[in-house]
Structures are given as structure tokens and as C-alpha cells.
Amino acid sequence: MKLKGTQVLLEVLKEEKVEIIFGYPGGAVLDIYDELYKSDFRHILVRHEQGAVHAADGYARATGKVGVCLVTSGPGATNTVTGIATANMDSIPLVVFTGQVPTGLIGNDAFQECDITGITRPCTKHNFLVRTIEELAATIKEAFHIARSGRPGPVLVDLPKNIMAAQIDYDPAAVRIRNHEAVYKPAPKKMANVLEMLARAQKPLIMTGGGVILGRAAEELTRLARRYRIPVTGTLMGLGSFPASDSLWLGMLGMHGTYYANMAVSTCDLLLAVGVRFDDRVTGTIDTFAANAKIVHIDIDPSSINKNVTVDLPIIGDTKAALADLLRFLEEHHYEPESAARRDWLAEIDEWREKAPLTYCQNGEIIKPQFVIQTLSNLTGGDALITTEVGQNQMWTAQFFGFDRPNSFITSGGLGTMGFGLPAAIGVKSAFPDRQVVDIAGDGSIQMNIQELATAAQYNIAVKVVLLNNGYLGMVRQWQELFYEKRYSHTDMTYAPDFVKLAEAFGVAGLRATKPGEVEDVLRQGLAMDKPVLMDFRVSREECVYPMVHPGESISQMALGTREMIN
Amino acid sequence: MEKKDHIISILVYNKPDVLARIAGTLGGKGYNIDSLCVNTTTQKDISKIVMTTSGSQATVTRIENQLQRLVDVISVDDLTNVESLHREMVLVRLNRTAQNTEAVKDAIDANKWKVILSGDTFVIIEITGDKTQIDFALARLEPFGMADITRTGLVALKLED
């Protein structure tokens, strides 16, 4: 059938079962938008292209499907870069379509021209500039395949305007693409090694990461831990891959991890690290990280192996297949942990847990940010889908919101992108209109993409923003307090809009709590509304995130915070 | 860990930007490319890139892993510790003057250098060999005053698969 480039694009998107496009029109994509006008595709008009990418990213993290966005050339394309880099660092599958000037003008510095494939080469998994109408369909198909296969990631497809207007005889059955799927080869020898190491270990520990969520392996990981009574800690990206309500759960490890998780990592004699990449925020000083342990590292990406931490046994492969393989092997070989040793190990961990539990002090008339998060966690029964911005709000959420399910904690881990949470929440809520979706935000971050409140209002995407408003760039201020003798250089954000009025101006409900006694009521009221709501919680201004590993320290050396704070 | 020179042979799909992707990946991660050679293979859609880099075995393994992640890379092979043949080529232009004509001629004859073009004022010599042979030849040519040289990157071929 004879189709225009724009029609081929939409046909392939249908074949790829794309449900929503997050986008923003412009000159180079006018033809595509004209085609969208005639189709019944669901398109969400954001207010800034960065918001489109974060929304597609949130959609992808919550659903496990590929997120899609569409923007114009030049500035439209460059505005996506932060979003693409965010997705790339956390291995999130996206396909980003950018308009481009006609092929005949490429290289001429035409109006709104930029070399977006050149710009995004280091921050995409792969990218394409479509040069002919003949390669259009296969390129788009391959882009989706690359985005979701192996270690997932964002793929950008640059679409010159004349290619979109050109015609071709399109035959879906004739489209051929290369296979990029990583095939897991069962490794009985390695499994035998793991069995031997487990049998010898007195103090085994599982460390779960984002790869377990991306690989849909949470079920296998949970079964492994529960069946053999192995305690579990997780990276920021791994939260939700093991139920926080389980007694084997130690919380997050690393810079703002729990004291007991960090002590367990530092003391364990066998570390099963699954779907992690040993980021510096997790390990602290490398030479003291898990210094007493043999390390087994399961990851789909060979380049993650021995990159930061040297491991004893690498197992390269899809986390789900590898864990299933391991479970089968242990079962077949009748592995049983030695119960006395395991009891002693869990008791040792419980002592650390009692010595320094995660805590904060909600007294007086000032709201503590942790109290807001804990109340939200209780009210939603841990069932909400949570996005965060970046900084203290993100760390307190990781510490005080109990995530029991994978794909429910959506945060910019690797890149640490402020302004991520609100557009990401819009993406999540578009996929799950019946679930409670909450962006836990700070007053600094929220102002980076606050224009997306208009998007939420336009489509009545009922996201809830829980704003922990302390009038500071809180995490930077915390470092200035601790390491720069309280010289608060340019972190005071007291000059800010009235967020309740601002929300109302956008057509979003605005609520405010200034006293601890009001927190639960405001949350209940906000969560119950069937429209987007911004809840402005005026919280303690100079609260710090504790415990904390100071930069350059071993993770066993934690600053636990002051006595007054803990009591 | 011991630093040494490594020869890496990479098969890639002959796609636009593939060289930029490889150079960008290595540059962006802080690795250095010492020399580079690229051309097509017997299959016209596949190219071979031979590059040399230096570093510890761990560094080179990391480089290989990073390259392996690229979508257009088919295979990465470290030829350093396998039996392989190595060649470089250099073109040298020597200025000919009334004073040195005889000496140049004698040196060319003595070393069996291949003259590919000569004129009244210059002579262009082609030398192929492994790195040591080329370095040696260039040292011999030094006294004659080389007007210009172009040296290729190293190419390498495994003796067997």
C-alpha cells in the first residue's frame, strides 16, 4: 500500500503497540502532527520537551514498556537531551523521535537545524538519522527493538522533513531488522560455584539493583531470599524489587543507606549482587567495600563487571533467567543453609538494626519532612506509585516510604535530574489512571519543570505533588553545613512563589500544611481529590538526611546524626 | 598493573557514524587511541578497524567491553597475545639538492627503499614493515632532512582463527 512517511511512522507505532506519545509540535514535525490530527493516537502535549522525555520515561519505568516522545528539530531536540541522559543512566527503554530539516539542507545551518544524533551519541544506547524513505520502517522497528533488548536504553530517531513527506509502497511483512537480544546461556559450572560459595558462607547477603526490576526478576529474587533465609539490601534503583515489609529487608545501602545495611555489607562473607553496577554512592571507598566477602555479580552487561568493584564470580546474563537457573540448581542439589549459622547472622543484623534504626524526631510545631513521607506511606498502604525529584526529598522517600512492589518507585538514580518527578508522574498516571500517583518534591526541584502542572490540568491527569518546602536547595545546603562551615552559598530559595496560588493559577488544586497536626488531613484531602493537587508542606528548614557516609569514607563509617535528632 | 601496547581488531557494520561512535566511546571514557586503520572487508557492509592503545590488561578489557556495547560493533578481538602479523606504511618526501643527490641515491640503494616517484627537487619513498622496522628506517632518513611524512596506523592479521 502506498503511504507517506508520516503514515509509515504511525503504522509502525501501531505495530509496536504504542499507547501514548508525549510530544511538542514545531516546524519540522508539522507533517507528522497533521497525520496525528487525522488519527486516533493518544498524544499528550507537554509544556517543555524535557517534560516529554521524563513523562515517557516515567511511563516506561512504571509499565516496563517502551516510552515514546515526539519533538521538533533544533531547540526541540536539544531540550530532550537531559531527559535522554537521565534514561540512559538508568537503562530505561525510550524511543525519541526528533524532527530534522530536509536532507538537502542538513549541514547548511538551516533554521532550527542541529546535529542531534551527534549531540546525543554519548547519551543514547543508539541513534539514527533516517536518510531515505526506504529505510524508514526498518529503522523505527529496529529502534524499538534496540531500546527494549539486552540492557535497555533510550534510542533517538531523527526524521528529516522531506522523508516524512515522501511516499513509499509499504509492506510490513517485508521489513527485516537485526536481532540484538542477549541470549542467556545456562552456566552449570558457575551455578556449582555459587552453591559451593553459599555452602561455605556463614554470612551471605543479597544486594538487589535496578537490573532486577528491568529484568522482571523480582519474583525470583524474592523466592531466593525467602527460601534460603538470605537478608537483602538494595540500591536506590533496586527499591521495590524485594518487599520492604519483609523482615529480611535491610533497606537501602550506601551514602544514605541504613546503618544496618551498610554494616551487613561490610561484614558479610558472601555478597550476591544482582543487576547492580556498584555506583560510587553505593560503595563509598572501593577498597573497603564488602572487604570480607566473596562477590558474585549477576548482570546483563559485561561492561558492568569489574568496572568499579572486582568480583570473584561474574555471571553475565538476564537477571530473571540467571536467578531461575540458580534456584533450579540449588533445589536440584538440595542446598539447605545451616540453620544455626543463619540464625546468628540474622541476630547480628538485628542488633545493628536496634542500635541505629532509621529515625527522626517529630516534636514541636514544625513539620518534619520524614513525617510527611511516613504518613503518606501509611495512608497509601505502600500501594501508591511514587516519583521523586532529586535531593533530600528523594533520599527521605527511599528511606521512609516502604516499597513492596517493583516498578512502584520512579526516580532519577544515576544522573540525579532535578525536575524529573512531576513530568514522570504525569507519564505514570497516564498509564495507570486508577492508581494513586504521587510526586514527592522539593521546592528547588519542582520549579525546574513546574510548567507541567498545565499538562496535568489540561488532561485532568490527577497526579499529586507532595512538596517538602524548606526554602533551600536542601541537599546542597546540607553539604554546605557539614563540609563548608555553613556557608550557604546560593542555596537559600526563600524567594519563591506562593505554591498554592501558583497551583490554582494552573488550574490545579492547592493545599497547605504548616503544622504537624495538619499533615494527615491535608494528605487525606489531597489524595481523595479526583484532579491534580499540589500540597505545600512547610517543613523544618535545616533538617539533614541521616544516616550519612561522608564522601571518601568507608560505608561502615556512618554519621548517624545528633542525639537530639534521634531521640 | 603493567601497562603495555595492545592491538585491537574490531569488526563493524559499515554504518554512518560508526567511527565517530567508537572514537567517542573511548574518548568519553578517557581512553586513548594511539593509531587507527579502517577499511572495508571482503563483505562490503562490514568494515575492519585496527587500533592500538596502551594500558593494563584490566583497562583493555574495559575498552573491549565498552566497544562490545555499541550496536554496530560485531566483534572485538585483542590481537596482542595471539599470533598475528603487523604492518605499517610510511611515505617520505626527501628534498633533493645538488649537495645530497649522491648520498640519497646511495642510501636508497643500500637500504633497498622503494622509490615511487622522483623529480628534480624531490624523491618520495615508500616503506612498509612492522613498527620497529619503520622506526629504524625513519632514523636512517633523519640526516637527509625529511620534508614531509605520512605514516599509516598499524594493520594486523591473525595467522589463524
Side-chain angles (χ1 to χ4, degrees):
Chain A
M1 83 194 130
K2 207 76 168 162
L3 292 184
K4 276 176 65 186
T6 52
Q7 293 168 318
V8 173
L9 169 64
L10 294 196
E11 276 304 311
V12 179
L13 292 188
K14 262 183 234 159
E15 289 164 26
E16 293 293 327
K17 302 192 170 56
V18 173
E19 297 163 329
I20 311 175
I21 301 167
F22 300 92
Y24 202 101
V29 286
L30 270 165
D31 294 298
I32 302 173
Y33 270 87
D34 192 51
E35 206 59 55
L36 275 176
Y37 188 83
K38 299 174 207 157
S39 80
D40 51 5
F41 253 103
R42 186 169 173 211
H43 175 279
I44 290 177
L45 173 67
V46 294
R47 295 304 188 267
H48 187 292
E49 289 89 348
Q50 185 187 347
V53 189
H54 291 329
D57 181 324
Y59 170 89
R61 291 182 203 235
T63 61
K65 299 176 192 166
V66 179
V68 177
C69 27
L70 169 63
V71 302
T72 193
S73 64
T78 56
N79 275 345
T80 65
V81 172
T82 301
I84 292 172
T86 303
N88 195 50
M89 280 287 257
D90 292 342
S91 309
I92 305 304
L94 297 183
V95 175
V96 178
F97 293 102
T98 51
Q100 183 55 281
V101 301
T103 46
L105 288 180
I106 291 177
N108 285 12
D109 295 336
F111 177 65
Q112 293 196 329
E113 180 193 351
C114 84
D115 174 14
I116 195 63
T117 48
I119 289 171
T120 58
R121 213 177 282 136
C123 65
T124 48
K125 183 173 175 189
H126 195 63
N127 62 23
F128 296 97
L129 166 62
V130 180
R131 287 154 201 270
T132 62
I133 180 84
E134 287 74 24
E135 67 193 54
L136 176 65
T139 302
I140 301 169
K141 281 221 160 266
E142 192 166 358
F144 276 89
H145 175 63
I146 291 170
R148 65 165 82 92
S149 61
R151 178 177 178 171
V155 179
L156 182 140
V157 184
D158 204 15
L159 301 169
K161 192 169 181 181
N162 57 318
I163 308 273
M164 288 293 98
Q167 287 212 335
I168 189 168
D169 215 356
Y170 176 60
D171 174 12
V175 176
R176 295 272 176 279
I177 61 166
R178 258 155 60 198
N179 183 24
H180 301 274
E181 210 55 75
V183 184
Y184 174 74
K185 296 186 206 82
K189 240 189 197 147
K190 294 206 166 185
M191 294 306 148
N193 278 345
V194 181
L195 171 61
E196 197 181 310
M197 287 160 108
L198 265 174
R200 213 174 285 166
Q202 304 286 307
K203 302 177 176 187
L205 179 68
I206 294 173
M207 171 179 171
T208 177
V212 174
I213 293 172
L214 290 165
R216 298 181 174 89
E219 202 188 312
E220 286 77 5
L221 184 119
T222 305
R223 207 178 327 140
L224 178 71
R226 285 182 173 161
R227 170 73 182 77
Y228 301 110
R229 307 279 308 147
I230 307 171
V232 186
T233 179
T235 67
L236 183 70
M237 299 310 296
L239 298 185
S241 59
F242 184 82
S245 52
D246 193 298
S247 64
L248 290 167
W249 175 245
L250 307 185
M252 184 171 71
L253 80 165
M255 181 170 272
H256 290 297
T258 63
Y259 172 74
Y260 36 101
N262 283 352
M263 290 308 290
V265 174
S266 304
T267 312
C268 71
D269 58 4
L270 176 63
L271 185 65
L272 293 169
V274 190
V276 302
R277 59 185 177 87
F278 298 107
D279 177 88
D280 54 276
R281 285 292 192 267
V282 161
T283 60
T285 48
I286 289 284
D287 44 341
T288 56
F289 178 77
N292 302 306
K294 294 260 182 228
I295 303 178
V296 177
H297 186 190
I298 302 177
D299 200 87
I300 198 164
D301 182 358
S303 77
S304 293
I305 308 284
N306 292 335
K307 183 174 72 174
N308 300 326
V309 168
T310 310
V311 302
D312 299 279
L313 179 66
I315 298 174
I316 294 164
D318 165 52
T319 46
K320 190 181 184 75
L323 286 173
D325 198 8
L326 179 60
L327 280 166
R328 207 177 311 119
F329 193 91
L330 295 179
E331 209 59 65
E332 279 169 15
H333 291 77
H334 311 292
Y335 165 67
E336 284 300 335
E338 198 195 318
S339 57
R342 193 56 46 89
R343 208 168 40 236
D344 290 350
W345 172 225
L346 293 173
E348 191 176 355
I349 291 173
D350 280 340
E351 275 172 41
W352 292 319
R353 214 193 281 261
E354 272 160 43
K355 182 183 163 197
L358 267 183
T359 186
Y360 63 94
C361 176
Q362 178 61 70
N363 57 8
E365 282 304 282
I366 299 166
I367 301 171
K368 286 295 175 78
Q370 302 95 323
F371 175 65
V372 179
I373 294 170
Q374 207 160 48
T375 311
L376 177 69
S377 182
N378 295 340
L379 285 178
T380 55
D383 194 35
L385 298 166
I386 302 291
T387 71
T388 72
E389 304 290 338
V390 165
Q392 289 183 318
N393 59 78
Q394 181 184 33
M395 290 299 111
W396 283 319
T397 305
Q399 292 179 333
F400 290 97
F401 198 98
F403 295 99
D404 277 347
R405 266 178 266 174
N407 308 89
S408 58
F409 177 50
I410 283 129
T411 196
S412 166
L415 198 67
T417 306
M418 289 171 72
F420 172 82
L422 174 58
I426 289 172
V428 177
K429 185 75 179 174
S430 326
F432 295 104
D434 300 329
R435 300 278 301 274
Q436 194 69 257
V437 179
V438 183
D439 170 31
I440 298 177
D443 51 305
S445 290
I446 194 71
Q447 291 185 70
M448 281 207 179
N449 272 322
I450 197 151
Q451 77 284 349
E452 299 307 332
L453 284 178
T455 309
Q458 178 184 343
Y459 298 96
N460 196 29
I461 299 171
V463 294
K464 310 297 158 72
V465 178
V466 167
L467 178 59
L468 305 173
N469 185 352
N470 59 11
Y472 276 119
L473 296 176
M475 187 59 94
V476 185
R477 187 211 58 76
Q478 175 170 342
W479 282 53
Q480 289 171 334
E481 175 186 332
L482 298 175
F483 311 118
Y484 295 86
E485 295 164 330
K486 292 200 176 189
R487 291 186 298 278
Y488 293 165
S489 181
H490 301 278
T491 42
D492 192 323
M493 300 284 278
T494 320
Y495 186 88
D498 177 328
F499 286 104
V500 169
K501 280 189 186 159
L502 185 68
E504 285 163 357
F506 274 114
V508 166
L511 301 170
R512 177 171 292 133
T514 55
K515 295 195 171 56
E518 299 165 354
V519 168
E520 189 174 330
D521 275 354
V522 166
L523 281 172
R524 276 185 192 284
Q525 206 185 326
L527 291 174
M529 285 175 159
D530 191 24
K531 61 183 291 192
V533 185
L534 186 149
M535 291 163 260
D536 179 17
F537 294 91
R538 297 297 175 87
V539 299
S540 163
R541 291 207 69 199
E542 298 198 15
E543 187 75 8
C544 286
V545 180
Y546 280 113
M548 178 181 190
V549 178
H550 287 189
E553 292 274 0
S554 158
I555 60 167
S556 61
Q557 302 300 313
M558 292 202 92
L560 297 173
T562 57
R563 260 295 132 211
E564 305 82 71
M565 194 199 83
I566 289 172
N567 286 334
Chain B
M1 251 182 280
E2 195 199 352
K3 262 187 116 170
K4 62 184 268 195
D5 290 338
H6 285 258
I7 302 161
I8 298 174
S9 176
I10 311 159
L11 281 182
V12 298
Y13 288 104
N14 199 355
K15 291 280 171 93
D17 290 358
V18 66
L19 188 59
R21 286 180 207 281
I22 286 175
T25 299
L26 297 183
K29 307 267 178 201
Y31 304 122
N32 212 22
I33 299 173
D34 296 328
S35 89
L36 190 68
C37 250
V38 194
N39 217 325
T40 48
T41 59
T42 50
Q43 284 167 275
K44 72 174 189 330
D45 59 334
I46 293 177
S47 283
K48 188 186 269 184
I49 297 174
V50 178
M51 59 171 230
T52 59
T53 183
S54 66
S56 65
Q57 187 56 52
T59 305
V60 173
T61 303
R62 255 178 239 143
I63 290 178
E64 288 176 42
N65 284 336
Q66 288 299 338
L67 292 174
Q68 206 66 263
R69 283 182 72 179
L70 297 174
V71 164
D72 287 333
V73 168
I74 302 164
S75 67
V76 182
D77 217 353
D78 187 351
L79 300 187
T80 315
N81 300 319
V82 299
E83 275 203 295
S84 57
L85 202 71
H86 308 157
R87 282 290 177 275
E88 291 179 39
M89 184 171 95
V90 62
L91 296 176
V92 182
R93 194 177 79 233
L94 293 178
N95 286 337
R96 243 209 264 240
T97 60
Q99 289 79 27
N100 76 359
T101 300
E102 272 311 301
V104 167
K105 191 179 175 310
D106 291 347
I108 288 171
D109 291 343
N111 291 290
K112 299 198 170 78
W113 287 330
K114 184 173 164 194
V115 173
I116 48 175
L117 193 65
S118 64
D120 293 340
T121 56
F122 68 92
V123 53
I124 293 178
I125 298 166
E126 174 197 307
I127 300 161
T128 56
D130 62 21
K131 189 175 183 310
T132 324
Q133 288 168 318
I134 304 259
D135 286 343
F136 183 75
L138 290 176
R140 288 231 160 153
L141 282 159
E142 185 81 60
F144 299 105
M146 291 177 278
D148 199 5
I149 72 163
T150 297
R151 186 171 178 170
T152 65
L154 179 132
V155 293
L157 192 68
K158 272 199 289 191
L159 299 196
E160 54 192 334
D161 284 322

